[in-house]
Amino acid sequence: MPLMKRKNPEEKPDSQTKAGSEKPYKGCLFIVSAPSGAGKSTICRAAQKKFPDISYSISFTTRPPRAGEKEGVDYFFISPSDFEHRIQQGEWAEWAKVHGHYYGTSAEFLNQQLSAGRRILLDIDIVGAEQILKRFPDSVTIFIMPPSLDALRQRLQKRGTDDAETIKKRLIHAEKEIDRKDLYRYVIVNDNLDKAIDEFCDIISRYPPA
Ligand code: 5GP
């Protein structure tokens, strides 16, 4: 079974970096989505180590911090009223409500990084991915799949950060996300972490195309 498939790789040339491009930006955006517990954070961390030039977009959220999460490292933790105020001010490049909490990406950060020509990694859900794709259609989209829903359930239980009700919600949400994985240019099945990291890094190393 192929672990990764590349869809229509030649159909969407990456025009973000082309000389003479009319686009007002020249960096490269990587959007990575995965059901919670699919191993996305571990894979992203490994890729950041391998490619230190990549900037990671730290999202804002109204979700309370989990044990060990740090302000400005894992997320910027803000209140729902602050988040809603920023929606009105147009401060988000994209935002979504996931499992009852707001999550958003700073438009200012993205614009700064793109105009500096940086490669940027966005860890966002599918709703956010759709919004970013509308504004930046050349974004490189990667979906990380768990080997199965059963494996995902086991990982979430082992992780021990969520109660049974939250795990149930995450699994229902995961199934919906997996149904829509065709939105993404690349799909990686994480049934072997080292292999998944290699595949992820291989994709990153191809962009922007020379
Ligand atoms: P968690 O609470 O487990 O850290 O994240 C829950 C979900 O929110 C994940 O699917 C994650 O990708 C998504 N997420 C994190 N940051 C953002 C963001 O800035 N925007 C959107 N749309 N989703 C986000």
Side-chain angles (χ1 to χ4, degrees), residues 40 59 63 66 75 94 96 103-105 123-125 128 170:
K40 179 181 51 179
S59 296
R63 163 171 82 58
R66 294 192 187 116
Y75 283 103
E94 63 73 35
Y103 293 80
T105 302
D123 166 351
I124 59 178
D125 81 332
R170 288 194 187 279

Side-chain angles (χ1 to χ4, degrees), residues 136-206:
F136 304 106
D138 292 331
S139 301
V140 179
T141 49
I142 308 168
F143 189 84
I144 298 171
M145 289 262 291
S148 67
L149 280 175
D150 226 38
L152 189 64
R153 178 183 298 107
Q154 283 170 27
R155 280 187 201 169
L156 288 173
Q157 284 166 345
K158 206 168 143 201
R159 190 163 82 175
T161 49
D162 299 308
D163 58 31
E165 191 53 37
T166 308
I167 290 180
K168 204 169 146 193
K169 272 196 215 154
R170 288 194 187 279
L171 287 169
I172 293 169
H173 190 69
E175 218 174 335
K176 287 189 193 148
E177 286 179 310
I178 291 169
D179 279 350
R180 302 202 52 213
K181 66 180 185 310
D182 286 353
L183 176 80
Y184 293 77
R185 198 182 303 183
Y186 298 96
V187 177
I188 295 174
V189 181
N190 180 14
D191 54 3
N192 174 310
L193 185 59
D194 289 339
K195 198 157 183 282
I197 290 172
D198 283 351
E199 288 177 358
F200 190 84
C201 290
D202 180 53
I203 295 166
I204 303 278
S205 69
R206 290 187 229 157

Side-chain angles (χ1 to χ4, degrees), residues 1-209:
M1 184 181 70
L3 292 183
M4 184 188 82
K5 63 183 178 195
R6 187 174 184 190
K7 291 206 205 81
N8 308 325
E10 308 314 329
E11 274 182 16
K12 290 184 180 173
D14 192 305
S15 56
Q16 286 173 7
T17 55
K18 278 188 182 155
S21 164
E22 287 174 15
K23 300 216 163 111
Y25 57 93
K26 52 191 159 103
C28 179
L29 279 177
F30 297 95
I31 300 175
V32 52
S33 303
S36 191
K40 179 181 51 179
S41 309
T42 314
I43 294 171
C44 287
R45 268 197 300 273
Q48 281 173 270
K49 262 196 190 157
K50 183 154 183 188
F51 302 102
D53 68 292
I54 288 191
S55 28
Y56 179 75
S57 166
I58 300 167
S59 296
F60 288 68
T61 185
T62 59
R63 163 171 82 58
R66 294 192 187 116
E69 282 186 333
K70 291 199 185 82
E71 166 73 15
V73 176
D74 300 285
Y75 283 103
F76 294 107
F77 297 97
I78 63 174
S79 68
S81 58
D82 188 0
F83 197 102
E84 284 163 4
H85 177 70
R86 291 172 192 237
I87 295 175
Q88 278 153 19
Q89 299 298 309
E91 288 187 25
W92 304 125
E94 63 73 35
W95 65 273
K97 212 166 193 181
V98 189
H99 311 307
H101 300 292
Y102 286 119
Y103 293 80
T105 302
S106 157
E108 194 187 354
F109 173 81
L110 274 201
N111 291 336
Q112 273 171 2
Q113 297 292 308
L114 282 172
S115 47
R118 301 290 302 261
R119 300 198 293 168
I120 309 150
L121 188 57
L122 300 182
D123 166 351
I124 59 178
D125 81 332
I126 198 159
V127 177
E130 280 178 314
Q131 295 170 52
I132 295 287
L133 275 173
K134 274 192 195 134
R135 293 176 68 169
F136 304 106
D138 292 331
S139 301
V140 179
T141 49
I142 308 168
F143 189 84
I144 298 171
M145 289 262 291
S148 67
L149 280 175
D150 226 38
L152 189 64
R153 178 183 298 107
Q154 283 170 27
R155 280 187 201 169
L156 288 173
Q157 284 166 345
K158 206 168 143 201
R159 190 163 82 175
T161 49
D162 299 308
D163 58 31
E165 191 53 37
T166 308
I167 290 180
K168 204 169 146 193
K169 272 196 215 154
R170 288 194 187 279
L171 287 169
I172 293 169
H173 190 69
E175 218 174 335
K176 287 189 193 148
E177 286 179 310
I178 291 169
D179 279 350
R180 302 202 52 213
K181 66 180 185 310
D182 286 353
L183 176 80
Y184 293 77
R185 198 182 303 183
Y186 298 96
V187 177
I188 295 174
V189 181
N190 180 14
D191 54 3
N192 174 310
L193 185 59
D194 289 339
K195 198 157 183 282
I197 290 172
D198 283 351
E199 288 177 358
F200 190 84
C201 290
D202 180 53
I203 295 166
I204 303 278
S205 69
R206 290 187 229 157
Y207 293 93

